Amino acid sequence: MLNPADLLLYLCTDRVLSLGRPITEAVEEAVAGGVTMVQLREKAASTGEFYRIALEVQAITRRFHVPLVINDRLDIALAVGAEGLHIGQSDLPLSAARRLGGTTLFIGVSVSTVKEALDAQAAGADYLGVGAVYPTGSKADAGEAIGLEGLAGIRAAVGIPVVAIGGVNGANAAAVMGTGVAGIAVISGILSRPDIRAAARNLRMILDEAAARG
Amino acid sequence: MLNPADLLLYLCTDRVLSLGRPITEAVEEAVAGGVTMVQLREKAASTGEFYRIALEVQAITRRFHVPLVINDRLDIALAVGAEGLHIGQSDLPLSAARRLGGTTLFIGVSVSTVKEALDAQAAGADYLGVGAVYPTGSKADAGEAIGLEGLAGIRAAVGIPVVAIGGVNGANAAAVMGTGVAGIAVISGILSRPDIRAAARNLRMILDEAAARG
């Protein structure tokens, strides 16, 4: 079951963008700094390697009581018993993932249009990753930026929690939260910083202040 | 449930080795020629693409009453309702796949040593893919050839059906079957031939003769 509060500061991993630091070390620093949810993305790993890394990262997320979400791979999510699965538009159809995920696995879906958002909500998505809000180099397949207006439009069209992704950083996080999203998803804004823990802590403070203001 | 007789002529797909012909066309020609089981391998496809291709190939295998096996990806196997899953030494651990695969999905495992074979049998494998028997260019990760003696040694060490893979062709298929294996797995010996159906038919005839003698 998804607790929407866990979406506040959502780290998506990326081996390239973490500047060569081991993914376990990077995740531990990030959750110690205040990340509330971790999505493990391993686009180049073999299945066996992904499985082993997922178990290693899970040892950290469990210690910090932070949900672990597996990107794309339902088999890995089920095999390690992750809390969530995140799928994009070129992954398994949500209906198939939903059917196989049972009652405990929550599922998030990446969308960039109101239609995709409504389709995902209708098919049973637990939350939406919406973006790219701003232009970003982190995801080659992120498409054109939708801006704050695009984000607000999708947010208003659905009843499930929305996480903003794509170019969100300390300078714009408060404005992004102002659209009523449940949180922000960050890759390079945390992983590519020299001090991962400090970067996470700084973002978390901004988000907590934005949430306090309402 | 696996019917060991279905292992007789086992086609493993490969987009590169099928010489640019669509995978559906190649599979249809192969099963029309006498292939008794099809393993779909898609190492480069996105999950969504793999899922769609699997459904397309399944429409053919169902029409011909030939089991469909998905390589590596338990999520795809479960999502399309394939008959089998095949895993290698760098895929999901067999114990995890077995636990998630339920009672209907059969699982094969690639092995190249007696130890790997005994481990896979102990962990609940339904059949073993054993090789490479002969040197082959079809699989970059196939390792050194084990020869007929290596194949026979593994075959004798286990009680579950064995399929021979790696460089098996019309010239050596009878000798390979003489080791007591349930069948042969073929990639380029079928997919890289100008006439896929004729290549499958020729191999099938050799196997049927070997089985009748043996």
Side-chain angles (χ1 to χ4, degrees):
Chain A
M1 284 286 292
L2 172 67
N3 175 0
D6 289 333
L7 295 167
L8 186 66
L9 181 52
Y10 187 177
L11 174 72
C12 300
T13 69
D14 187 300
R15 279 213 230 183
V16 176
L17 295 172
S18 57
L19 310 178
R21 291 170 287 199
I23 198 69
T24 45
E25 180 189 315
V27 166
E28 176 143 10
E29 285 297 299
V31 293
V35 156
T36 56
M37 190 144 99
V38 174
Q39 178 185 135
L40 184 61
R41 295 198 309 165
E42 288 288 335
K43 288 296 187 187
S46 74
T47 300
E49 202 181 352
F50 197 164
Y51 175 74
R52 281 188 298 275
I53 294 167
L55 288 178
E56 285 175 20
V57 169
Q58 187 177 51
I60 299 164
T61 56
R62 288 206 167 153
R63 185 147 45 83
F64 284 86
H65 303 287
V66 160
L68 173 65
V69 177
I70 301 295
N71 181 271
D72 177 17
R73 297 291 297 269
L74 178 68
D75 50 349
I76 305 293
L78 292 174
V80 303
E83 283 77 15
L85 171 72
H86 189 90
I87 57 182
Q89 298 293 322
S90 62
D91 297 339
L92 210 58
L94 175 56
S95 54
R98 187 83 278 173
R99 177 167 50 81
L100 299 168
T103 53
T104 56
L105 192 77
F106 66 78
I107 304 183
V109 179
S110 294
V111 303
S112 56
T113 67
V114 169
K115 185 188 180 312
E116 285 175 354
L118 291 172
D119 286 351
Q121 177 175 258
D126 293 294
Y127 75 90
L128 300 176
V130 178
V133 181
Y134 302 106
T136 169
S138 294
K139 288 188 75 178
D141 60 346
E144 228 171 298
I146 60 171
L148 274 186
E149 299 72 21
L151 174 65
I154 294 173
R155 159 69 186 80
V158 296
I160 53 178
V162 162
V163 179
I165 187 163
V168 184
N169 56 39
N172 58 35
V176 166
M177 291 301 286
T179 63
V181 296
I184 64 172
V186 178
I187 306 174
S188 55
I190 292 177
L191 289 183
S192 299
R193 299 303 157 95
D195 189 333
I196 288 175
R197 190 189 299 217
R201 190 183 295 128
N202 179 53
L203 282 169
R204 177 63 186 271
M205 275 173 42
I206 293 169
L207 296 172
D208 285 342
E209 279 170 28
R213 275 200 305 277
Chain B
M1 284 286 294
L2 173 68
N3 175 359
D6 289 334
L7 294 168
L8 186 66
L9 180 53
Y10 186 178
L11 175 72
C12 300
T13 70
D14 187 301
R15 281 213 227 181
V16 176
L17 295 171
S18 56
L19 310 178
R21 292 171 286 201
I23 198 71
T24 45
E25 180 190 315
V27 166
E28 176 143 11
E29 285 296 300
V31 293
V35 155
T36 55
M37 189 144 103
V38 174
Q39 178 186 135
L40 184 61
R41 293 199 312 167
E42 288 289 336
K43 288 296 186 185
S46 74
T47 299
E49 203 182 350
F50 196 165
Y51 175 74
R52 284 188 297 276
I53 294 167
L55 287 178
E56 286 175 22
V57 169
Q58 187 177 51
I60 299 164
T61 56
R62 287 206 168 154
R63 184 148 45 83
F64 283 88
H65 302 287
V66 160
L68 173 66
V69 177
I70 302 294
N71 181 272
D72 178 14
R73 296 290 298 267
L74 178 68
D75 50 350
I76 305 293
L78 292 175
V80 304
E83 282 78 14
L85 171 72
H86 189 91
I87 56 182
Q89 298 292 323
S90 63
D91 298 338
L92 210 59
L94 174 56
S95 54
R98 188 81 276 172
R99 177 167 48 83
L100 299 168
T103 52
T104 56
L105 191 78
F106 66 77
I107 304 182
V109 179
S110 294
V111 302
S112 57
T113 66
V114 169
K115 183 187 182 312
E116 286 175 355
L118 290 173
D119 286 351
Q121 176 176 258
D126 293 294
Y127 75 89
L128 300 176
V130 178
V133 181
Y134 302 105
T136 169
S138 294
K139 290 187 73 178
D141 60 346
E144 229 171 294
I146 60 170
L148 275 186
E149 299 72 22
L151 175 64
I154 293 174
R155 159 69 187 79
V158 295
I160 53 179
V162 163
V163 179
I165 187 164
V168 184
N169 57 38
N172 57 36
V176 167
M177 291 300 286
T179 63
V181 296
I184 64 172
V186 177
I187 307 173
S188 55
I190 292 177
L191 289 183
S192 297
R193 300 302 158 94
D195 188 334
I196 288 175
R197 189 187 301 219
R201 191 185 294 127
N202 179 52
L203 282 169
R204 176 64 185 270
M205 275 174 40
I206 294 168
L207 296 173
D208 285 342
E209 280 170 29
R213 274 201 307 276

